[in-house]
Amino acid sequence: MDEKLPLNVVIVGGSIAGLMHGIMLTRRGHHVRILEQSTDNIRHGQAAGIRAGPEVQRFLKEFDQYKAQPYALDCPGMQFINNKSEYKRFINFPMQQTSWTMLYYRLRANFDGLVSKHCPNAARSGTGEAIYDLGKQLVSLTERNSQVEVECKDLSTGKTLSLVADLVIGADGSHSAVRRNFFPAQRGQDRPYAGYLAWRGGVLESEVSDETRSLLKNNFTVFKMPKNYILVYTIPGSDGGMEPGQRILNFVWYHNCPDEGDFRSIMTDTAGVVHRTTLQPGMMRPEIWKHQVQFAKDHLAAPFVELVEKSAEPFVAAVSDNLCASATFLNDKVILVGDALALFRPHIALSANQAAYDCLELQKVLDGQSTMAKWNRKVLWYGEATRQLSIVSGSFSQFGGWPLVKSVAVYGFVLSKHKVLSFYHALF
Ligand SMILES: Cc1cc2nc3c(=O)[nH]c(=O)nc-3n(C[C@H](O)[C@H](O)[C@H](O)COP(=O)(O)OP(=O)(O)OC[C@H]3O[C@@H](n4cnc5c(N)ncnc54)[C@H](O)[C@@H]3O)c2cc1C
């Protein structure tokens, strides 16, 4: 890719991946318009927590100019407890835990200077134009010589708008409309169900007992039983509070649900609508949650029973994963990044990291240290290997046996394939 200045870039999707790419590009003087289908600047995370992995930390170290307060909480490591709440094992594995909301507002502060409770003194510093265009939903992409015509729907007027861009970045998540533009047959199959659910919820730290707080000790705490495991870690409060008491104890409970009838029943909301991927907070039918709480009381360790019982707005997501066959289209004028390119099962908590990885690799192309062909190979490799590792992790905890053996074999194949291809590309 020639870095002729300034490129007119359209980014579809203004969440983590879209904003990271927008910040990197405007700092280099490019003009960026983010098309975001949400109609409001104020957005709520799912209080499901996000791990700031190594690439997220590298990205923020280089690009975050809002240093007024930290963006993540220190988590010393992973601890495992048994059903009597006794410590069984500790793994020294320091992590940085944050929330979607914290990252979103921090990235908005850096992209277009959005002032929020999380970043009250925001001021942007990119030299290129930075537009966060709300209520715009992608309709189609068409090649127009050296550029791309982007058609989007204005959700407030219903009208279709047309824009022209030198580069289009598809950062529109796991149901990506950009990806569907090139793979229309994938509609409806973009998130195949893995056979188990992730029940999620959060409780304000000040609302849990001293006993539970002192047992968790800011660690990533895990309780495991056959076909189930539940974990909890601390994330910033919904208004960004980082002080003890203001923070949220955020749990994820993986629970097998292979039966189609059970799945449909759980995913049917209070209005009778059946959901395919996520039942958002506030939508779960009370009898479904009551049943899940009873299961917790019968089987889980006491701190987790307390968290499940006190969770005011639980929600549930069908676990799934996916990988697109290519990251570049129309002679590199359209690229896919983040969840739009590869969706991981949540066990390894690397989705935000992928967004940062894709962005930092693109920066190398613009710096002349890499090429788009290399970028395509690297991001696909990262997506494929990380996705398969997330399948190994899920198979280990939920199934064991043949599914685990198969997932490990595929992971081994993916790693070997990468070695052979790297060798080949080094030669030619
Ligand atoms: C509101 C929100 C809350 C989240 N909360 C959590 C959380 O608490 N924990 C967690 O682990 N992950 C959360 N995620 C997912 C998390 O952001 C991703 O897994 C990961 O960080 C990669 O982000 P992404 O930018 O690639 O994709 P996503 O975060 O999925 O973002 C995709 C963006 O594209 C927009 N979009 C989709 N289709 C179109 C279209 N046709 N036209 C225009 N815009 C479109 C969406 O509105 C969204 O803003 C959340 C995502 C969102 C959108």
Side-chain angles (χ1 to χ4, degrees):
M1 184 190 294
D2 270 353
E3 194 180 20
K4 50 180 166 60
L5 277 169
L7 290 169
N8 281 314
V9 182
V10 166
I11 298 180
V12 185
S15 175
I16 308 304
L19 285 165
M20 284 178 170
H21 284 78
I23 292 165
M24 185 272 285
L25 288 162
T26 51
R27 294 276 167 88
R28 302 177 75 92
H30 300 298
H31 299 324
V32 175
R33 178 182 289 265
I34 292 183
L35 303 178
E36 170 51 55
Q37 66 182 3
S38 166
T39 50
D40 202 336
N41 279 323
I42 297 173
R43 298 187 74 184
H44 303 285
Q46 296 166 334
I50 282 197
R51 178 174 147 221
E55 267 73 30
V56 173
Q57 292 176 37
R58 265 181 57 212
F59 177 89
L60 288 168
K61 191 165 177 210
E62 178 167 355
F63 290 105
D64 180 24
Q65 299 201 332
Y66 190 87
K67 307 268 185 212
Q69 72 169 74
Y71 60 85
L73 294 163
D74 291 326
C75 169
M78 295 171 83
Q79 63 183 16
F80 294 79
I81 60 169
N82 66 12
N83 58 0
K84 293 187 189 119
S85 304
E86 297 161 339
Y87 294 115
K88 294 315 281 176
R89 196 151 53 104
F90 177 79
I91 301 174
N92 187 10
F93 185 65
M95 287 176 267
Q96 292 277 294
Q97 306 288 13
T98 186
S99 64
W100 184 87
T101 331
M102 179 65 104
L103 269 189
Y104 166 75
Y105 287 116
R106 183 65 68 106
L107 294 172
R108 284 295 303 265
N110 281 286
F111 176 66
D112 62 339
L114 181 78
V115 173
S116 61
K117 278 186 192 160
H118 292 68
C119 301
N121 308 309
R124 71 175 291 262
S125 60
T127 49
E129 211 171 52
I131 300 172
Y132 196 90
D133 207 347
L134 288 166
K136 304 294 180 306
Q137 192 173 50
L138 181 79
V139 175
S140 67
L141 299 170
T142 314
E143 190 167 22
R144 296 273 178 254
N145 304 315
S146 63
Q147 292 185 306
V148 181
E149 186 182 335
V150 182
E151 271 203 338
C152 64
K153 189 173 170 185
D154 183 331
L155 298 178
S156 59
T157 63
K159 286 190 181 146
T160 301
L161 310 174
S162 180
L163 306 162
V164 174
D166 301 307
L167 173 67
V168 175
I169 300 181
D172 50 347
S174 60
H175 297 289
S176 173
V178 175
R179 188 179 64 221
R180 273 206 311 271
N181 193 79
F182 300 101
F183 296 100
Q186 284 196 345
R187 197 179 197 115
Q189 297 156 24
D190 41 9
R191 291 186 59 160
Y193 176 50
Y196 56 100
L197 299 168
W199 298 78
R200 310 184 102 145
V203 183
L204 202 60
E205 217 179 13
S206 58
E207 289 173 10
V208 299
S209 62
D210 291 345
E211 242 174 331
T212 292
R213 260 202 312 271
S214 67
L215 188 121
L216 299 179
K217 286 193 196 118
N218 284 347
N219 280 314
F220 185 100
T221 305
V222 183
F223 172 75
K224 171 106 188 68
M225 55 179 280
K227 299 181 183 173
N228 272 274
Y229 83 98
I230 183 163
L231 57 93
V232 61
Y233 54 95
T234 315
I235 60 171
S238 48
D239 285 342
M242 306 284 263
E243 297 303 318
Q246 304 173 342
R247 311 175 301 183
I248 290 173
L249 293 169
N250 164 249
F251 69 82
V252 189
W253 176 5
Y254 297 99
H255 190 105
N256 288 10
C257 181
D259 185 80
E260 173 69 23
D262 290 347
F263 179 84
R264 276 184 72 83
S265 170
I266 290 168
M267 299 302 269
T268 303
D269 68 18
T270 44
V273 178
V274 182
H275 296 257
R276 202 163 53 88
T277 53
T278 307
L279 202 58
Q280 297 290 349
M283 288 183 160
M284 197 182 296
R285 287 178 298 138
E287 62 269 32
I288 296 291
W289 185 236
K290 201 172 154 203
H291 182 266
Q292 202 63 16
V293 171
Q294 190 55 50
F295 187 98
K297 284 179 178 167
D298 293 343
H299 297 97
L300 304 185
F304 287 107
V305 177
E306 183 181 349
L307 291 170
V308 169
E309 276 191 300
K310 288 185 174 166
S311 174
E313 291 219 301
F315 65 104
V316 62
V319 176
S320 55
D321 58 82
N322 199 5
L323 173 71
C324 189
S326 175
T328 72
F329 306 88
L330 306 184
N331 293 318
D332 303 337
K333 293 192 288 291
V334 178
I335 64 173
L336 284 181
V337 297
D339 280 10
L341 174 63
L343 178 68
F344 310 142
R345 298 187 190 183
H347 311 279
I348 51 175
L350 284 173
S351 294
N353 205 62
Q354 172 181 228
Y357 177 85
D358 298 347
C359 180
L360 293 171
E361 287 300 318
L362 187 63
Q363 187 187 20
K364 288 185 194 162
V365 178
L366 298 173
D367 282 341
Q369 297 166 16
S370 184
T371 62
M372 278 313 286
K374 209 167 169 185
W375 180 86
N376 187 42
R377 281 201 301 276
K378 285 187 92 167
V379 297
L380 279 175
W381 149 246
Y382 182 91
E384 188 179 15
T386 313
R387 173 205 183 201
Q388 192 55 37
L389 186 61
S390 77
I391 296 175
V392 171
S393 178
S395 304
F396 174 73
S397 65
Q398 305 307 122
F399 305 117
W402 173 238
L404 175 61
V405 172
K406 193 173 133 200
S407 67
V408 172
V410 176
Y411 187 53
F413 171 74
V414 168
L415 295 182
S416 315
K417 185 180 81 176
H418 174 65
K419 280 209 163 146
V420 172
L421 287 178
S422 302
F423 182 66
Y424 172 82
H425 288 298
L427 287 180
F428 302 102

